[in-house]
Amino acid sequence: SIRRLSRLTNEHQVVAFLTPVFEGILQQVPSLQVVNSEEYPWLVTTSDDSRFNQKPDNIFCHSAIYNRRNPFTTQDAQLVRLRQPTDKYGVLADWALRDSIDAIGEAK
């Protein structure tokens, strides 16, 4: 609900709150995944220096084109409560696959 969303205090919580909403929308496309990538720098920029790679909050992609990662560690009790056992974490498997990403999501 909007009331629950308005009580969240940081972006990580918003991403966790919205993940099941996006998954519900995408249920009609079983191979399409909502992948949390908010703590994994993988999105290449124009810089040749990987330190400048970006960390989009979510990628929406086929299950075959991302590499799984473990959930990032947090001490945020609210975030821990919002996370679901089915949440997926990861990055694009290879930069050459970037045209296969269906969407990138940012929660601000």
Side-chain angles (χ1 to χ4, degrees), residues 22-39:
F22 292 135
E23 288 173 337
I25 293 167
L26 298 176
Q27 277 181 331
Q28 298 174 29
V29 188
S31 61
L32 198 58
Q33 305 295 311
V34 178
V35 181
N36 182 313
S37 66
E38 64 183 322
E39 286 298 318

Side-chain angles (χ1 to χ4, degrees), residues 15 19 22-23 26 31-40 42 55-69 86-93 101 103-105:
V15 172
T19 296
F22 292 135
E23 288 173 337
L26 298 176
S31 61
L32 198 58
Q33 305 295 311
V34 178
V35 181
N36 182 313
S37 66
E38 64 183 322
E39 286 298 318
Y40 312 105
W42 65 270
K55 303 179 292 186
D57 294 331
N58 291 109
I59 53 176
F60 303 86
C61 63
H62 189 279
S63 56
I65 70 165
Y66 81 95
N67 288 333
R68 289 184 181 265
R69 298 284 192 266
T86 56
D87 288 351
K88 295 161 190 68
Y89 297 83
V91 298
L92 186 66
I101 296 171
I104 292 176

Side-chain angles (χ1 to χ4, degrees), residues 1-9 13-15 17-18:
S1 75
I2 296 297
R3 188 178 312 172
R4 278 186 59 213
L5 181 60
S6 68
R7 291 186 190 133
L8 302 178
T9 59
Q13 293 174 6
V14 172
V15 172
F17 178 85
L18 291 175

